[in-house]
Amino acid sequence: MQQLGLGIDTGGTFTDAAIVEMGVNRVLASAKAPTTRYDLAVGIAEAVGRLPASLLGRIGLVSLSTTLATNSIVEGNGAPTCLVLIGYDRQLFRSYDLQRLLPTANLEFVRGGHTTVGAEAAPLEVEALHRIAAEQAGQVSAFAVSGFFGVRNPEHELRAREILERETGLPVTCGHELASELDSVLRAATCALNASLVPLLRDLMESLRRALSSLGVQAPIMVVRGDGSLMRVEMAMERPVETILSGPAASVVGAQAIAGERDMLVVDVGGTTTDLATVRDGLPLLNRQGATVGRWRTLVRAVETSSSGLGGDSQVTVNGSEGVRVGPRRAVPLAFIAQQFPKVKADLRLALSRRDRMEPGDGVFFLPVRSLNGQRPSDVEERILGLLSAGPQPLWRLAERDPWAHFYLSKPNLLENSGIISRAGFTPTDALHVTGAFEAWDGEASRLGAEFLGYWLDQNVDELVESVLQEVQRSLVRTMVRALTGAPEDGPEGMNARLLDLALTGERNHDNLEVRLHSRLPIVGLGAPAGHFVAPAGRVLGATALLPEHHAVANAVGAICGSVVVREVVQVQAVYRASGLDGYVLTGPFAAETFPSRDEAVREGERRAELLAREGAVSAGAADVEVRVVVEEQEGTAGPGFGDRMYLGSTIVATAVGRPRFAEDRGRLLEEDRLW
């Protein structure tokens, strides 16, 4: 029987949807719609609604790759959270200013915690938890609980969660559920970030369910993790921090599904950013130190990516006498806005007639996107919104009517950051409209915008467009070289930058030195703009550039083509006293247990790790689960009386892999759940 899956990806500019025949990864239909950042479910419903209704009724699984977690962390829009630290040293936090590593200042220190071998370091201060529940209820939307060495024994974390949930009714995240590493501060930071995202992801998923139901889609929903694996929506709502960087992860899975390469550099050119990732022997490189998002480090395993603020909708600005700059700010293409509002072209012609009295940035337009939804605007914000009520307005007209508007809109501002208004301007997408390589919207508006910008560089339209496309290529090649080499830039005058510039200028680029680049990896381009930009950049790199079929919706394809992967780690530690070996302790997400023999402890560790991984995979939405267990032993140099080598312990890692569960699997999986 043909199984159909629906993959959805909410990118920075567009939301993509694709219906895929599972097993063979054949794309049957795809669609795009603008991403509505103020409410992602609106753009999702529009994209899915453009797919054939006859196929939507046959969907057996839905999977979503979302920017919600990443954007919320970067923009600081998470829900208010209280972080409860059990067994942490308050004085140590103050002495080393460790609070700077945490995403919330609302901290509560509680006595308790465990030792490295899972023994109770101090009794849990239950009275403090009752006080915290009473004081924080009504002030926060979620709690995060992190116990010192909680990964070696989670008893205090679980007890704290029980009390806080019972007395406040709010969601509570425990640190041991998100990471197995001992780094107590980063574990607490990861836990706090997760708690701040829980209410936001719950709202999105409820809206998504309603939207899909209205379109006739009744199927289980999965969400893409940052490492490209999948988890069912119920788990995602408990662990939303694991969805950070799910977009780049979905692009890697999508590239593997549609390109069929085992070694490649994946270059995903979106409207807002370009994301790159390396695949070796069929596996993406992972950031094993934990993903960093915005200013916050986490312990979340994610695909190792490099990003640049370069995309098809990057705003083009005049960079003084140096020429044009592309990005990193995003703008709606002039061609797109003029298609909806023809008056934009009249305003562009008017600007051209009086350009000697303007600045290069005055050709930017602003347009209303959504209402304030209860937000209270400042006086200048209220005046700007009043002026925009008549439709898109150029910056120069807004400045004429209110000089404060120019000052406000020329800097990062709340109206744009909140998605209440958007800016429109000349972009690489407009440059492609001028050349005729891309003709989706109003190319005349693009030509007028190019003429306006070219005036300050003493360039005609064709020269300005060529400058923009060359700058896009240079930026893309630099980003690719960084991804291939792992080398940071050394500044515009550094040797690396100079060699790269020589390579970009062509074969006869210096009297004494000729520089050529050759990538050993093929370049796989994804995203709608990739067809116009990746192949030229690939030629500079001496690389085979591939543009697979359906590359424009590869992220949506990747969202539905992933597997469920769950990794569980338990530890066996040797306990030594002054008199010698005193037994072996098994620790993990359970109460610590002591064994008299090493073999017995390791066997029990393997059994528990396998069981935890299998149960976790089934809970995450997997069917046909297979588990692989690996034991890594650690030894050290022994002291007098202990022999030459000393057994320190074993790390037992169980990895469970399964295919995502379809609607028709429900009956069979209920039986599996009962058995396990």
Side-chain angles (χ1 to χ4, degrees), residues 6-9 15-19 30-33 41-53 56 59 62-64 208 211-217:
L6 170 61
I8 303 168
D9 173 70
T15 292
D16 299 341
I19 297 177
S30 64
K32 287 178 173 285
V42 174
I44 291 172
E46 185 175 350
V48 176
R50 295 177 179 178
L51 296 170
L56 290 178
I59 296 297
V62 178
S63 188
L64 171 70
L208 175 62
L212 292 175
S213 179
S214 69
L215 294 168
V217 178

Side-chain angles (χ1 to χ4, degrees), residues 65-87:
S65 165
T66 174
T67 58
L68 177 67
T70 303
N71 291 340
S72 297
I73 292 172
V74 170
E75 297 166 6
N77 292 333
T81 300
C82 174
L83 173 58
V84 179
L85 298 171
I86 302 175

Side-chain angles (χ1 to χ4, degrees), residues 566-586:
V566 172
R567 180 175 174 269
E568 291 288 348
V569 179
V570 302
Q571 302 278 343
V572 173
Q573 298 176 75
V575 180
Y576 291 94
R577 311 291 184 192
S579 58
L581 184 63
D582 194 36
Y584 302 87
V585 177
L586 179 64

Side-chain angles (χ1 to χ4, degrees), residues 139 237 255 274 306 406 417-418 454 502 568 650:
Q139 305 299 314
M237 289 192 290
T274 294
S306 56
H406 191 287
N417 291 341
S418 301
L502 290 174
E568 291 288 348
S650 299

Side-chain angles (χ1 to χ4, degrees), residues 519-569:
S519 170
R520 293 176 177 172
L521 292 178
I523 309 294
V524 176
L526 306 180
H532 306 288
F533 300 130
V534 171
R539 285 194 291 271
V540 175
L541 287 170
T544 301
L546 305 175
L547 203 66
E549 187 180 9
H550 305 297
H551 66 89
V553 292
N555 284 25
V557 175
I560 195 64
C561 289
S563 301
V564 177
V565 181
V566 172
R567 180 175 174 269
E568 291 288 348
V569 179

Side-chain angles (χ1 to χ4, degrees), residues 61 87 155 157 185 206 233 260 265 277 347 392 416 454 459 473 497 509 551 572 578:
L61 180 72
E155 287 181 321
E157 287 188 3
V185 177
E206 290 304 319
V233 66
L265 177 66
D347 286 332
E416 282 190 87
Q459 293 180 340
Q473 178 175 302
N509 44 37
H551 66 89
V572 173

